Amino acid sequence: MQLTDNDTIAAISTPPGSGGIAVLRVSGPDALAAIHPLFSTPEKLAPRQAVFGHLTHPDLGEGIFDDCVVTFFKGPNSVTGEDLVEISIHGGAYLQHKLLDVLVLSPSVRLAGAGEFTLRSFLNGKIDLSRAEAVADLIHARDAAAHKNARQQLSGGLKALVESFAERLRHILVIIEAELDFSDQEINFTPTEKLLTPVLGVKAKTRDLIETYFYGKRLEDGFRVPIIGSPNSGKSSLFNLLLGQDRAIVTNQAGTTRDTIEKGFIFADHTVVLVDTAGIREAGVQAEISGVGRSKDEISRADFIIQVSAPDTEPLSLELPEDLETIDVYNKIDMDKTPPEGYDIYLSCNTRQGLDELKKMIYSHVVNISNAGVDGVIISSERHKDALRRFYTQLEACERAVLDALGPEYIASDIRLALDVLGEITGETTPDDILNQIFAGFCVGK
Amino acid sequence: MSENSAVSRETYDIIVVGGGHAGIEAALAASRLQKRTLLITMKIDALGRASCNPAIGGLAKGHLVREIDALGGEMARATDATGIQFKMLNRSKGRAVWSPRAQIDKHAYSAYMKVVCEEQPGLSLYEDEAVAVLTDPPETKIVGVETRDGTVFSCVALVLTNGTFLNGLIHIGDKSFSAGRIGESASIGITESLVKLGFDTGRLKTGTPPRIKRSSVDFSKTTIQEGDETPEPFSFTTKDFNPPNEACYITKTNPTTHDIIQGAIEFSPLFSGKIQGVGPRYCPSIEDKVVRFSEKSSHQLFLEPEWTDAEQLYVNGFSSSLPEEVQLASLRSVPGLEKVEFIRPGYAIEYDFFPPSQLKASLETKRVSGLFFAGQINGTSGYEEAAGQGLMAGINASLRVDGKDPFILKRSEAYLGVLVDDLITKDTDEPYRMFTSRAEHRLLLRYDNAHFRLSQKGFGLGLVSSDTYQAVAEDMATTEKAEAFLEKTYIRAVDLESLGLEQTTSKDSYSLANLLRMPRVEVEHLKPLLPDWFSSIKPSLLSLIATNSKYRGYIEREQLQVERLSRHQNTAIPPQIDYMSIQAISVEARQKLQRIQPETIGQASRISGVSPADVSVLLIIIKKIVSRETS
């Protein structure tokens, strides 16, 4: 793997988790270019000026993603000594990661490595020399931690799976390189078209694996289960009941919960994050409008939802995504002797009737999701997802090269780059590895 | 040196030991750069002798020869002058991997080189065996060399190109004897004097096939293989190229051949354990092929003439160290060779080499200043690899004499850059040969653009004449003009058919440059759309222009990769860093760095086992050392 420090890097620079405000930093020659397509008023950006605006981009979802404050620091007058852009957004963990995700989708920006911002600061003379050793130790420690972490993540099926990708690509590369470097010899070469099948196979599995990130992240952060319903259907009561404590403010006045409240609890070995939301209706007061917006946002990130109805509330005036798994709960069953049919659970928060059934149903949903994955493998590391996504892009290029009959040297170039990317997860493939396999597999030499 | 009792003769700027492909290029480059140069060889008549196959170039090697030419070396011109069959390999594949190859007349080649060396102003030849390198106490600076006859020559820089001669040991069956190659003595003494200076040494092995009598071959049972009808010269300077086109002949081994070899395998020094040195896997002996690839019932053999109208043929593909009678018996089972007679049998040779991680990127040793190694002494194989290193060592020895910075090519600039960088950062455990797959910038480093890439550098060094450089510069200007035209000229998709091209529906119009990117579209197809001045562009340049278009997207991507590399690639690492004391670097990296002592961050980053995090830490340490020294 080559050392690159001439490119643009991005990372979340506030501590992990949800806070009031999160700051993302982008440093390097393309820092300004990276924020341009996302920011509402990029033309206002001038060195050392905080500019308020909002973020919109198709990849960030429909409409306005979030309000933000963007500050541009022109190198060398920045903390890293390079062009640097700081983006402050609202602190939700989801928002932070989603934004970072979209930033590093740009080919000129990559995820920062361990200690990279600090290293650049140091190399550009922004940190006092007396801190040199501390920086070195920091990089070493982070690298060691990252390695340990990576090893742990790689200990199971992921390592085997990614290694199998690399192996299949190496096999193709060996055939192509043998053909290019030993074509003057008597070897029966595989037609290029035949190489497409394994590439497509790896590509499909890679796509599936990237998609498991969603679940992988859930395994780490917890499964998000918002409780959705019309105002005063008893969402907060249910929230408290499941958590076994009075976390949410429960009143009998409709519209009490104006913001979302979330709380994780361990359930069937997995963390489930219950989210109490504002009731969904045509909102009246201003504070409720933003609360309802957040509820909709919660739905879009949900693994599945608990939808609560009650005898004394209006039916839900909201269209839910078709593929969203839903547990339909009919609450306040103690108030209704003839409940309507068609609900999954009939529950009373007062008498706890139906509570065990609800828990069982939550459990089966969680287990269902946990079993998703490619060959039982799911990914949860941002770094892995980033690498796999770039790997995927490279495989697409490779596929095009084969389909366009560009010739083996093009395909080899694509596969080499793909293997380089994969090397970030599983260890690099060197030209010697390929030559070794050629010598082992083919009788070369006149 | 004064403690030596020998007579001190003359003083030179640069002395080159060895008159093979590396030594010749080193000596010519040095003398052409106005250095008083002495070439010491054991046999002046053997200058430029091709010890093994009678061919120059081939896949990846042809690239090297073109680059040597672009930098003002001699190998390409010698090949054009003495080649007897020229062929562009890989012609059915993309142009990045096309590579020229030529059969040469070995006698003529050697004679050509001898004349060039003898006539080169500033270059003296001395026929003797170098036996010791002489250094100044405390043994860190070269001062001269001593020969077998007791003569001492002093110099500022010494280039060792000893080939397979250092303690060379030839094996044929269970017989082994000291020799540098067949019929010539080994060189004894240099290894010992280098080991005394603290150099590590190792042992490698290579081999060569039997030479047979043409009159004993029944060619009616072989397939004829001829060269290209319109051959391309290696050198940019070759004009009116009209070389001979002598045939080679192809035949095949069969199960009987293999049985005979298998039955005598215990007599092979390779399998009896008699040979300790490691041989090249890409050039295995016939007994190796038979044992390791037992499922293959036949191997191709090429009968190549060693010179014009040669009675002596080279049996390419039948390298062997089996006893002579086994070689002969097995070869006689091959169609066309039933009555074959040997001029001499094949043999294996073991020789000393010096692991090249002991060198700087200039090919100067890290241990002794002014001492350069080039060629097989560095564990490489091949005439072209040797010549390339010889040229680089000759240039750098000259720059050393002038007190100037070394001339170092990047991996993204030349195969020569890949070659040297691989040598100094990798551990070689078999003879190193160039392959196109070693170059990460393969699409950029093509044989057809070698002069575009390097002639300016050759001119800047003073090795390429002004006329030649002007001619290359003109070609470059023409290319640029043509490419600009192709870039800005568009054709509607509906008009493609009129050019005999398939109409695709993906776009309404195409630039001509875009059309050229399609497979199988050549400048020829676009002719009706081109202005008159295009017709005056020479064919080789038109082909280059098309090739540039075809690879453009990929090359740009590779270029991006180059630019993304650390801006610290060329940051120098101060000598004598005690890596073992740097706790923040992984143990494996510490050990490797300690042993190899890379000169730059780039080199360090390419050593296997050194991670980007290790390099980051290294950058910090260097910055600390440098600022401590300056404050």
Side-chain angles (χ1 to χ4, degrees):
Chain A
M1 207 186 299
Q2 299 272 19
L3 178 79
T4 56
D5 62 0
N6 218 7
D7 50 358
T8 303
I9 53 173
I12 298 166
S13 52
T14 35
S18 297
I21 293 279
V23 178
L24 280 85
R25 275 184 178 163
V26 187
S27 178
D30 292 321
L32 205 51
I35 185 71
H36 256 255
L38 309 177
F39 188 46
S40 53
T41 50
E43 69 283 354
K44 288 192 186 164
L45 291 173
R48 289 166 178 274
Q49 285 187 26
V51 181
F52 178 80
H54 49 258
L55 297 166
T56 38
H57 192 269
D59 291 337
L60 290 170
E62 269 178 49
I64 292 176
F65 175 71
D66 197 6
D67 296 335
C68 66
V69 174
V70 177
T71 317
F72 171 55
F73 299 90
K74 177 101 189 110
N77 300 315
S78 73
V79 66
T80 54
E82 307 174 320
D83 280 5
L84 179 102
V85 169
E86 273 187 8
I87 311 163
S88 307
I89 57 167
H90 289 108
Y94 169 76
L95 294 181
Q96 302 172 25
H97 286 285
K98 182 74 190 170
L99 178 57
L100 180 62
D101 219 37
V102 172
L103 280 170
V104 299
L105 264 183
S106 147
S108 59
V109 182
R110 68 173 167 86
L111 215 54
E116 259 196 298
F117 278 91
T118 325
L119 176 69
R120 289 184 180 201
S121 302
F122 173 74
L123 292 174
N124 291 320
K126 294 289 170 179
I127 298 181
D128 194 274
L129 197 58
S130 61
R131 287 175 61 187
E133 243 112 47
V135 178
D137 288 343
L138 176 78
I139 291 170
H140 181 62
R142 286 204 195 161
D143 186 52
H147 260 117
K148 195 173 162 216
N149 195 12
R151 258 207 307 281
Q152 281 166 350
Q153 283 177 328
L154 284 177
S155 61
L158 180 60
K159 187 185 162 101
L161 189 62
V162 173
E163 190 43 54
S164 79
F165 292 170
E167 196 44 55
R168 288 173 84 176
L169 292 190
R170 274 197 291 267
H171 181 69
I172 299 170
L173 194 56
V174 163
I175 293 170
I176 296 176
E177 295 292 3
E179 179 173 353
L180 292 176
D181 268 336
F182 300 96
S183 68
D184 53 339
Q185 314 206 1
E186 198 197 8
I187 301 173
N188 293 325
F189 296 111
T190 315
T192 310
E193 306 81 63
K194 288 219 172 144
L195 303 178
L196 196 55
T197 316
V199 170
L200 292 181
V202 171
K203 189 177 144 225
K205 278 204 169 183
T206 303
R207 189 192 50 227
D208 293 348
L209 192 56
I210 293 169
E211 280 169 8
T212 68
Y213 174 73
F214 179 73
Y215 302 112
K217 200 76 194 127
R218 290 301 187 264
L219 279 185
E220 276 196 342
D221 299 350
F223 293 88
R224 293 196 75 85
V225 184
I227 304 174
I228 304 290
S230 300
N232 204 27
S233 55
K235 299 180 293 297
S236 298
S237 303
L238 176 56
F239 181 78
N240 290 337
L241 185 64
L242 281 168
L243 291 174
Q245 55 178 289
D246 288 351
R247 173 67 175 79
I249 310 158
V250 188
T251 69
N252 55 5
Q253 189 197 331
T256 310
T257 306
R258 290 181 172 165
D259 209 338
T260 55
I261 297 171
E262 58 180 73
K263 182 79 182 167
F265 68 110
I266 306 291
F267 193 87
D269 289 338
H270 297 302
T271 303
V272 173
V273 179
L274 275 184
V275 187
D276 188 14
T277 67
I280 303 222
R281 65 168 176 187
E282 299 304 314
V285 268
Q286 183 64 31
E288 259 186 41
I289 294 178
S290 77
V292 171
R294 295 242 169 133
S295 299
K296 290 181 178 171
D297 183 44
E298 273 303 331
I299 290 171
S300 71
R301 315 159 46 188
D303 293 290
F304 57 94
I305 63 168
I306 299 173
Q307 185 178 332
V308 188
S309 310
D312 55 346
T313 59
E314 299 285 310
L316 190 64
S317 61
L318 180 75
E319 250 182 64
L320 294 171
E322 262 181 34
D323 55 352
L324 182 65
E325 291 277 341
T326 302
I327 301 176
D328 280 319
V329 175
Y330 190 75
N331 193 17
K332 308 186 191 177
I333 184 70
D334 49 329
M335 284 170 54
D336 192 348
K337 299 293 175 227
T338 54
E341 284 191 16
Y343 287 87
D344 297 319
I345 303 287
Y346 294 88
L347 179 88
S348 164
C349 289
N350 290 332
T351 67
R352 301 187 163 221
Q353 180 193 336
L355 181 62
D356 283 347
E357 285 83 353
L358 176 59
K359 283 186 174 175
K360 269 182 204 157
M361 193 161 268
I362 294 174
Y363 174 75
S364 72
H365 274 77
V366 166
V367 169
N368 251 341
I369 293 171
S370 310
N371 285 343
V374 179
D375 300 352
V377 177
I378 56 176
I379 56 166
S380 61
S381 147
E382 179 110 35
R383 205 164 294 285
H384 289 162
K385 183 193 59 169
D386 181 53
L388 284 169
R389 210 154 54 174
R390 282 179 288 128
F391 177 63
Y392 183 80
T393 310
Q394 212 36 71
L395 292 178
E396 285 182 315
C398 182
E399 184 187 352
R400 275 197 305 277
V402 176
L403 292 175
D404 293 348
L406 287 185
E409 73 277 24
Y410 294 88
I411 299 164
S413 173
D414 284 321
I415 293 183
R416 280 197 206 191
L417 283 178
L419 280 169
D420 276 354
V421 177
L422 216 52
E424 294 172 24
I425 304 178
T426 180
E428 64 181 325
T429 299
T430 64
D432 280 334
D433 297 336
I434 301 301
L435 284 168
N436 287 343
Q437 288 194 31
I438 292 177
F439 298 146
F442 297 99
C443 181
V444 295
K446 281 194 197 171
Chain B
M1 175 169 87
S2 52
E3 52 200 341
N4 204 299
S5 55
V7 214
S8 184
R9 288 245 304 218
E10 280 170 88
T11 298
Y12 290 88
D13 293 326
I14 294 169
I15 296 175
V16 178
V17 174
H21 306 283
I24 288 173
E25 296 291 352
L28 289 175
S31 47
R32 287 167 182 170
L33 293 172
Q34 271 78 54
K35 301 294 164 286
R36 265 175 56 80
T37 307
L38 176 71
L39 175 62
I40 302 176
T41 172
M42 291 163 78
K43 200 168 174 186
I44 288 177
D45 279 339
L47 276 174
R49 180 169 285 179
S51 318
C52 197
N53 61 330
I56 302 273
L59 297 171
K61 291 163 170 279
H63 291 74
L64 285 171
V65 181
R66 297 276 290 190
E67 291 180 357
I68 291 167
D69 186 59
L71 289 172
E74 198 60 41
M75 181 171 250
R77 286 194 289 258
T79 306
D80 288 344
T82 64
I84 53 176
Q85 189 212 86
F86 287 77
K87 202 178 170 90
M88 187 64 74
L89 302 181
N90 261 350
R91 213 185 260 281
S92 64
K93 307 208 164 57
R95 266 169 280 211
V97 289
W98 285 20
S99 208
R101 181 180 188 272
Q103 298 291 143
I104 52 160
D105 180 322
K106 280 186 175 187
H107 288 162
Y109 189 91
S110 183
Y112 173 99
M113 284 302 195
K114 187 182 165 200
V115 170
V116 170
C117 289
E118 282 172 345
E119 291 179 353
Q120 174 62 42
L123 175 60
S124 309
L125 304 177
Y126 188 77
E127 192 172 75
D128 197 3
E129 178 189 359
V131 293
V133 299
L134 307 174
T135 52
D136 223 8
E139 271 76 50
T140 54
K141 187 170 160 252
I142 205 78
V143 293
V145 67
E146 186 184 341
T147 63
R148 179 69 62 200
D149 66 9
T151 313
V152 168
F153 294 99
S154 40
C155 60
V156 182
L158 176 67
V159 184
L160 293 182
T161 70
N162 300 69
T164 60
F165 280 66
L166 294 178
N167 294 319
L169 187 65
I170 284 183
H171 298 268
I172 305 173
D174 57 0
K175 284 186 289 185
S176 53
F177 51 92
S178 168
R181 65 186 156 215
I182 205 86
E184 293 176 47
S185 318
S187 170
I188 318 285
I190 292 287
T191 299
E192 293 67 21
S193 96
L194 290 173
V195 167
K196 220 180 279 172
L197 290 170
F199 285 98
D200 286 336
T201 181
R203 208 80 173 134
L204 288 174
K205 170 251 158 188
T206 189
T208 196
R211 311 301 200 269
I212 57 174
K213 283 186 186 168
R214 179 189 280 263
S215 54
S216 67
V217 179
D218 177 359
F219 290 106
S220 68
K221 294 181 182 165
T222 65
T223 313
I224 289 191
Q225 190 189 44
E226 284 178 331
D228 291 340
E229 277 177 29
T230 44
E232 269 190 60
F234 278 84
S235 175
F236 187 84
T237 55
T238 299
K239 301 275 178 279
D240 307 318
F241 190 54
N242 194 15
N245 189 352
E246 287 222 15
C248 296
Y249 304 90
I250 303 172
T251 180
K252 280 180 168 194
T253 63
N254 55 48
T256 312
T257 324
H258 298 188
D259 286 347
I260 296 171
I261 290 167
Q262 191 70 58
I265 210 74
E266 62 195 283
F267 302 111
S268 164
L270 277 180
F271 290 90
S272 67
K274 214 173 152 216
I275 289 181
Q276 301 293 322
V278 181
R281 287 169 300 173
Y282 48 82
C283 192
S285 61
I286 187 71
E287 49 268 36
D288 232 349
K289 291 186 204 175
V290 167
V291 170
R292 287 185 47 224
F293 296 92
S294 53
E295 73 282 2
K296 278 197 86 170
S297 57
S298 172
H299 297 283
Q300 257 184 345
L301 301 180
F302 297 77
L303 309 181
E304 302 176 355
E306 296 224 297
W307 48 85
T308 312
D309 302 325
E311 169 60 3
Q312 180 166 323
L313 297 179
Y314 176 96
V315 189
N316 200 339
F318 204 82
S319 172
S320 180
S321 56
L322 285 164
E324 182 170 352
E325 58 279 13
V326 180
Q327 292 184 32
L328 189 62
S330 56
L331 213 47
R332 281 185 173 168
S333 70
V334 173
L337 302 180
E338 293 84 353
K339 294 177 178 164
V340 76
E341 285 172 42
F342 276 7
I343 291 171
R344 57 183 159 82
Y347 62 86
I349 181 164
E350 281 187 290
Y351 55 95
D352 295 336
F353 82 108
F354 291 84
S357 57
Q358 302 174 91
L359 301 178
K360 301 178 190 177
S362 60
L363 297 179
E364 184 176 14
T365 65
K366 289 169 185 163
R367 195 172 284 276
V368 177
S369 81
L371 178 62
F372 295 76
F373 292 168
Q376 267 172 313
I377 190 172
N378 287 335
T380 62
S381 113
Y383 310 146
E384 304 80 1
E385 286 85 347
Q389 291 169 69
L391 175 64
M392 295 302 282
I395 292 169
N396 280 317
S398 304
L399 293 169
R400 186 84 180 74
V401 170
D402 292 340
K404 289 185 183 157
D405 285 342
F407 175 65
I408 292 160
L409 290 167
K410 299 194 192 94
R411 299 182 70 92
S412 52
E413 288 176 329
Y415 274 89
L416 288 170
V418 175
L419 171 67
V420 172
D421 189 66
D422 273 355
L423 287 179
I424 63 175
T425 57
K426 273 185 178 182
D427 289 312
T428 332
D429 53 6
E430 72 181 322
Y432 178 99
R433 193 200 128 160
M434 187 49 74
F435 295 105
T436 68
S437 57
R438 296 197 193 272
E440 49 277 77
H441 306 289
R442 173 162 63 195
L443 304 180
L444 183 64
L445 305 184
R446 304 192 307 267
Y447 93 96
D448 64 356
N449 66 5
H451 294 83
F452 282 23
R453 289 185 275 120
L454 299 172
S455 285
Q456 188 175 12
K457 291 178 192 290
F459 176 65
L461 286 164
L463 287 173
V464 170
S465 74
S466 166
D467 286 352
T468 302
Y469 174 58
Q470 283 310 321
V472 174
E474 264 170 47
D475 278 2
M476 288 173 84
T478 307
T479 304
E480 219 167 275
K481 187 178 162 198
E483 286 178 345
F485 177 84
L486 296 168
E487 227 25 272
K488 66 175 206 285
T489 308
Y490 280 77
I491 177 173
R492 288 183 305 162
V494 289
D495 295 334
L496 283 180
E497 244 167 281
S498 67
L499 295 176
L501 295 174
E502 237 173 85
Q503 189 184 337
T504 57
T505 49
S506 61
K507 276 190 207 165
D508 294 338
S509 66
Y510 293 88
S511 75
L512 300 187
N514 261 334
L515 283 184
L516 277 177
R517 288 173 75 157
M518 299 175 180
R520 288 175 295 280
V521 177
E522 298 295 332
V523 178
E524 186 65 25
H525 292 104
L526 310 176
K527 225 172 178 177
L529 305 168
L530 300 175
D532 284 346
W533 54 268
F534 252 89
S535 56
S536 62
I537 302 176
K538 55 185 172 185
S540 62
L541 217 49
L542 285 178
S543 155
L544 176 99
I545 289 163
T547 309
N548 278 346
S549 286
K550 290 187 189 307
Y551 291 122
R552 179 142 296 133
Y554 275 71
I555 289 174
E556 276 166 8
R557 195 178 62 185
E558 289 183 352
Q559 207 64 46
L560 201 69
Q561 201 77 348
V562 176
E563 280 159 21
R564 278 181 53 165
L565 286 185
S566 171
R567 64 202 133 113
H568 297 283
Q569 285 287 309
N570 300 319
T571 299
I573 301 178
Q576 252 89 94
I577 286 188
D578 179 15
Y579 291 99
M580 299 315 282
S581 68
I582 306 174
Q583 297 299 320
I585 291 179
S586 73
V587 180
E588 187 194 355
R590 266 181 254 170
Q591 290 166 346
K592 291 246 175 116
L593 290 165
Q594 186 72 26
R595 185 165 56 76
I596 295 179
Q597 295 280 336
E599 297 166 273
T600 63
I601 288 294
Q603 287 169 24
S605 71
R606 287 187 291 275
I607 296 171
S608 67
V610 177
S611 73
D614 293 329
V615 178
S616 300
V617 172
L618 198 52
L619 277 169
I620 291 167
I621 307 282
I622 292 167
K623 188 145 186 188
K624 215 179 130 194
I625 293 173
V626 171
S627 78
R628 194 188 294 139
E629 281 167 357
T630 51
S631 63

